[in-house]
Amino acid sequence: MKWKQQLNGMKAYQPGKPIEEVQREYGLEKIVKLASNENPYGFSPKVKEFLESDYTNHAIYPDGYAQNLRTAVAKHLGVKETALMFGNGSDDLIAIITRALLYPGVNTVMANPSFSQYSHNAEIEGADIKQVPLKDGKHDLPAMLDAIDENTAVVWVCNPNNPSGTIVSDEELSEFIQKVPSEVLIVLDEAYYEYVNAPEFKDTLHYVNEYPNVLILRTFSKAYGLASFRVGYAIGNDEVIAKLDPVRAPFNNTILSQKVAIIALEDQEFIKECTEKNEKGKKQFVEFCEKHNLNYYPSQTNFILFEVKTDSDVVFKEMMKRGFIIRSGNALSSPGYIRVTIGTEEQNEEFLRLLEEVLKEQGVFA
Ligand SMILES: *Cc1c(COP(=O)(O)O)cnc(C)c1O
């Protein structure tokens, strides 16, 4: 058949292993998944209450414009309703952006390692991919600026970055945005926005008004704990949103997911509690790394990328045997490292106790 030639040799996204598969494979009863940066506390109890008494008629199509959710998010952020576009997760928005702007002959600039979907989608569209290595674990914005040329259509800034968890400061970002040519779309992927507390990170919404080529992505999948409902959104200039919207599938969020996202958004107390607990959990990992002299990246997210001083695939396997699913750095262009989602206090404690055992077994330390 007449496939797009760029599909030759491409593989589907390799997600963290599903819990059921690991249970079967290793005959384990209890498995903790710390691989995909989901919220270990789940979602707001108000969402649970709603789901238990839900009467939604799923026989009818959802509102393709997501009007009620749109009103709620616009009000929450203090932006116009027309500045928003909803996606089936921000993954969907990344695909929409790529499909709208990338094709053979144009290029796109991103950091490496960064979120894999930018390059994956760009590859499908046949665009050239310019990956700029992180510098000290952070986006090297000056080098990314240098990589932009007259054929660049999109530049991706994952802030905080997945998998390193690091941020670029508002000062660095502001300088970068000023210098990027106005015909290049700057995507600020802020999937972990709710977790950030560093003072050098500032709210970016104002950039959308000042620079029409800035588009922000946020999601209900991480801090809001709604990964399975698939709701992400873009905040952008009206004209950018209007250009992207025809590329969107007409009913890309379900009725239920739209309802649930509204309820979750209202419960900011839950987000506050989760992010506070996450801070404490992060400290457990940082203390472990410092105790054992393992390099780690300062994380502003609910995950941490740190050194294991041995083959990351081995650590990944050994931890899986012990009931923990994590991500090997080998799968994230970070060999010798592992990326672990910050779990509950007990999960972290148990994880680090077992990791210590594994690293001793591997001769990393005595
Ligand atoms: C998880 C993640 C996403 C995708 O989130 P969804 O809204 O669930 O599609 C996007 N960007 C980054 C950096 C992520 O880590």
Side-chain angles (χ1 to χ4, degrees):
M1 279 175 279
K2 299 175 180 176
W3 300 111
K4 280 178 150 181
Q5 67 172 24
Q6 47 270 31
L7 290 178
N8 287 338
M10 278 192 80
K11 287 204 183 79
Y13 176 73
Q14 299 284 312
K17 275 201 178 229
I19 290 181
E20 294 75 20
E21 192 185 318
V22 177
Q23 268 172 331
R24 244 181 289 122
E25 215 171 296
Y26 293 89
L28 291 164
E29 219 167 86
K30 198 183 113 219
I31 303 266
V32 179
K33 184 166 172 250
L34 299 178
S36 305
N37 311 333
E38 292 121 332
N39 186 336
Y41 310 102
F43 44 70
S44 160
K46 300 206 167 68
V47 169
K48 185 162 181 277
E49 224 169 274
F50 165 78
L51 289 173
E52 280 162 0
S53 61
D54 172 44
Y55 57 89
T56 303
N57 178 4
H58 292 289
I60 59 166
Y61 280 105
D63 171 9
Y65 192 63
Q67 182 61 63
N68 294 341
L69 176 58
R70 181 177 297 272
T71 303
V73 172
K75 193 164 155 252
H76 177 71
L77 297 175
V79 302
K80 284 186 296 182
E81 291 185 0
T82 47
L84 298 172
M85 180 167 72
F86 292 88
N88 194 256
S90 27
D91 284 340
D92 185 28
L93 298 165
I94 294 167
I96 291 169
I97 294 163
T98 318
R99 193 170 174 207
L101 286 147
L102 299 183
Y103 49 91
V106 304
N107 70 63
T108 180
V109 174
M110 64 198 69
N112 185 40
S114 191
F115 191 54
S116 61
Q117 288 304 295
Y118 315 144
S119 59
H120 183 88
N121 282 284
E123 200 178 337
I124 294 171
E125 301 305 335
D128 288 324
I129 298 163
K130 293 190 173 193
Q131 290 181 310
V132 178
L134 298 181
K135 192 177 165 192
D136 305 323
K138 286 170 53 179
H139 276 59
D140 186 350
L141 293 181
M144 287 175 74
L145 194 63
D146 284 345
I148 292 173
D149 62 26
E150 69 279 8
N151 294 321
T152 304
V154 184
V155 55
W156 307 86
V157 180
C158 189
N159 197 28
N161 188 44
N162 180 0
S164 58
T166 50
I167 53 162
V168 288
S169 71
D170 186 58
E171 207 181 324
E172 294 167 284
L173 190 63
S174 158
E175 198 183 326
F176 178 75
I177 292 173
Q178 282 172 46
K179 290 181 178 164
V180 172
S182 60
E183 67 272 17
V184 176
L185 183 73
I186 306 169
V187 180
L188 306 177
D189 184 349
E190 300 183 339
Y192 301 93
Y193 170 80
E194 293 79 9
Y195 288 107
V196 181
N197 57 17
E200 64 271 27
F201 180 100
K202 297 201 171 68
D203 206 280
T204 51
L205 290 175
H206 66 99
Y207 287 123
V208 170
N209 297 328
E210 295 155 24
Y211 300 91
N213 59 326
V214 171
L215 188 74
I216 300 165
L217 302 184
R218 292 190 190 160
T219 180
F220 283 93
S221 295
K222 305 287 159 60
Y224 286 93
L226 299 176
S228 135
F229 282 100
R230 313 305 302 129
V231 187
Y233 56 95
I235 312 148
N237 175 274
D238 284 15
E239 282 167 37
V240 171
I241 297 289
K243 272 285 195 193
L244 292 171
D245 214 24
V247 184
R248 182 178 61 82
F251 305 107
N252 60 339
N253 292 117
T254 67
I255 302 181
L256 197 55
S257 60
Q258 293 179 33
K259 286 190 183 181
V260 157
I262 295 171
I263 298 166
L265 190 66
E266 282 166 1
D267 195 353
Q268 288 301 314
E269 190 53 38
F270 175 76
I271 299 296
K272 189 164 168 275
E273 278 167 29
C274 292
T275 53
E276 281 170 7
K277 287 184 202 157
N278 182 66
E279 262 328 283
K280 289 193 187 143
K282 209 158 68 183
K283 285 207 179 84
Q284 293 174 270
F285 283 86
V286 166
E287 277 167 18
F288 180 88
C289 291
E290 288 182 346
K291 178 178 166 203
H292 295 295
N293 215 2
L294 303 169
N295 187 32
Y296 64 93
Y297 292 105
S299 171
Q300 285 287 304
T301 64
N302 67 334
F303 60 85
I304 182 162
L305 182 69
F306 63 97
E307 190 187 27
V308 286
K309 291 188 175 165
T310 183
D311 188 336
S312 349
D313 282 356
V314 171
V315 177
F316 165 76
K317 266 233 165 72
E318 289 301 319
M319 289 311 297
M320 196 144 65
K321 281 188 205 159
R322 290 163 174 80
F324 280 92
I325 314 176
I326 55 168
R327 290 306 294 266
S328 161
N330 289 350
L332 304 165
S333 311
S334 308
Y337 282 69
I338 54 174
R339 193 195 67 191
V340 185
T341 303
I342 315 278
T344 63
E345 186 180 356
E346 301 78 55
Q347 289 171 343
N348 300 337
E349 209 173 281
E350 176 75 351
F351 174 85
L352 292 169
R353 187 178 67 74
L354 294 169
L355 179 64
E356 186 160 30
E357 185 182 295
V358 167
L359 294 185
K360 272 183 187 157
E361 234 176 63
Q362 296 300 315
V364 173
F365 43 73

